[in-house]
Amino acid sequence: MSAHFVIVGGGQAAAQAVQTLRQSGFAGAITLVGDEPHAPYQRPPLSKKYLAGELARERLLIRPASFYTEKSIRLELGRRVEHLDRAARRVTLDDGRALEYDGLLLATGGRPRRLRVPGVELAGVHYLRTVADVDAIQGSLAGGGPVVLVGAGYIGLETAAVLVQRGFDVTVLEATDRPMARVVSPVVSAFYDECHRRAGVKLVYGATVSGFAGDGRVRAVECADGRSFPCRTAVIGIGIEPNVEIAQAAGLPCADGILVDRYARTEDPLVFAAGDCANQPDAHGERRVRLESVPNAIHQAKVAAHGLLGEPVPYTEVPWFWSDQYDLKLQIAGLSTGYEEVVVRGDPAERRFAAYYLRNGRVIAVDAVNSPRDFLLAKKLIASETPVSAATLRDPATDLDRLVT
C-alpha cells in the first residue's frame, strides 16, 4: 500500500515540498490543505508589484493550477485543519472530514501580529499578508486621502515606497528610533531614512500607537504622546506570529514557532515543519531561530520532503533575505545578531554599498544595497567562516574574491 503525505499550508514551503516529493520519485498520494481559496502563491510581491498594480493575480501563483493536476496532487483549498491526532496519524478538517497520513508537513506560516488598541476595527484599517488584504487596501485607497503606515519594517517601508510613488501622502509611524531596527545596523537605517524622506515619505520615530479615531471609518491614528496623524487608510505592519496552534494542541513543543531539528523534524518522527512557522537550531547550534524568508521556506521544505521520504539531509543554507524599495535592492546574508563591528564598503551616496558585520574576526552577515557581488561574496565568507579583519575589509584595495578562493 503506497504512502499518503499530507501538507498543511498554502505558501512557498508547501508548494516546494510537493514539488520536491514528486521530483524525488515519490508516486504515492499527496494532499495539500490550504486555508485560502488560491493555490500556493508568492507573498513578497504583495507589498511591491501587486500593490503597485504591476502584477496580475495569476502571476502570483508559484505553480499554475495545471501543475497540481498533472502531478496528481490533491488540493483542499479554503479548508483548515482543526485537529491533529498524532496517535491515529490523522488530521481533521473544518468540514469534519478526516485525512489519514503516513507523513505530515506543517507549513502553516504566520499571521500578522495584531495591534490591540481602540478603533483598530474601523473601516480603512488594514493588515497586509494575503491577496485578500491587498485587494481590500486597494479598495480603500480608491477613495484617496492620506495614508498612515504603522511599523517601519519591510512591509511598512515597501508599502510606503509603492504608495508615495503612486502619489499618496504617506506617513510611517515607528515605535523605535530608526527604520528596520530589528534587522539592520544604524548606518543602513540612516541610509533608508534619507531615501524615503527624499521620496516624500514622512517618517516619525518614537511613535507608539494608542488608537485609531473615526466614525465608522478611520480618520486619524493617535499616539500615546498625544500626537495625531490624519489618514483615510492605515496599514499595520508590526511583524508576524507563527501559526502553531495545531502543533501545540497536539502536544508538539513550540516556542516562537514549532520546534524542529536540522532535518525539519519535530519531536514526532512522522511530523515535520517548515517555513515561517518553524523554529530551528542555527548553523552552530548556539541558539534557535525562526526565519521569515522565501529562501528559508524553499530550503527547509526540501529538507522536510527528504525527511518524509526517509532520506534525511541537514539544513545547510546560509540565511538570506531581500527587500525592494524604489530602485534599491537590499540583499541580506547571514544573521547580524551579536555583531561587534560594522564595516562599510562602497559609498551610500552612490546608492551602492555593503555593510559587513563582524564577530570574532569573521563575517557573520552583510547588508548589500544594489551590490549583488558583495552579497554573493559575503555568503561564501559566512559559509566558509573565513577569518578576516575589519582593516582588510575596510581597505578598498582588498580583493574579496581572493578571500574566498
Side-chain angles (χ1 to χ4, degrees), residues 132-400:
D133 290 338
V134 179
D135 291 345
I137 291 170
Q138 297 284 32
S140 184
L141 294 171
V147 179
V148 170
L149 305 172
V150 180
Y154 291 148
I155 290 295
L157 295 185
E158 289 170 359
T159 303
V162 169
L163 296 186
V164 77
Q165 290 178 110
R166 287 179 54 180
F168 287 94
D169 179 333
V170 178
T171 299
V172 178
L173 305 180
E174 168 57 39
T176 68
D177 60 356
R178 57 188 178 90
M180 298 188 290
R182 189 170 65 93
V183 293
V184 302
S185 62
V187 65
V188 179
S189 289
F191 170 78
Y192 275 89
D193 175 275
E194 181 181 3
C195 289
H196 279 279
R197 291 187 189 279
R198 285 187 176 181
V201 176
K202 296 181 280 290
L203 294 107
V204 182
Y205 303 114
T208 301
V209 173
S210 59
F212 297 85
D215 184 9
R217 183 178 188 87
V218 66
R219 58 175 173 77
V221 180
E222 299 178 330
C223 293
D225 60 7
R227 288 178 292 178
S228 180
F229 300 87
C231 66
R232 193 177 184 280
T233 299
V235 180
I236 302 168
I238 54 173
I240 73 164
E241 297 176 343
N243 293 323
V244 302
E245 288 75 14
I246 298 168
Q248 205 162 41
L252 292 171
C254 298
D256 185 31
I258 303 167
L259 299 188
V260 297
D261 61 15
R262 294 180 64 217
Y263 300 88
R265 296 176 302 203
T266 68
E267 186 179 77
D268 186 324
L270 296 180
V271 182
F272 295 74
D276 291 357
C277 69
N279 186 305
Q280 64 186 327
D282 69 5
H284 303 288
E286 297 174 351
R287 60 194 174 99
R288 285 190 159 270
V289 294
R290 187 174 59 81
L291 303 173
E292 299 169 13
S293 74
V294 168
N296 171 70
I298 290 173
H299 186 68
Q300 197 171 39
K302 291 178 180 179
V303 169
H306 284 288
L308 287 167
L309 294 171
E311 305 165 354
V313 294
Y315 188 105
T316 57
E317 182 87 347
V318 172
W320 64 277
F321 317 81
W322 83 88
S323 177
D324 294 325
Q325 300 169 40
Y326 309 109
D327 61 333
L328 306 169
K329 177 170 283 294
L330 170 63
Q331 294 173 291
I332 298 176
L335 301 172
S336 61
T337 305
Y339 71 87
E340 298 168 347
E341 190 171 2
V342 181
V343 174
V344 175
R345 287 176 64 88
D347 186 358
E350 296 180 359
R351 299 171 77 87
R352 181 178 179 179
F353 70 99
Y356 286 78
Y357 298 80
L358 289 91
R359 185 177 67 215
N360 297 329
R362 289 176 170 80
V363 174
I364 61 169
V366 71
D367 299 336
V369 178
N370 288 344
S371 186
R373 180 174 177 273
D374 279 293
F375 169 71
L376 293 173
L377 287 170
K379 280 187 73 176
K380 294 177 181 178
L381 287 172
I382 295 165
S384 64
E385 299 186 353
T386 301
V388 57
S389 69
T392 298
L393 281 175
R394 196 172 287 114
D395 184 353
T398 299
D399 183 354
L400 297 185

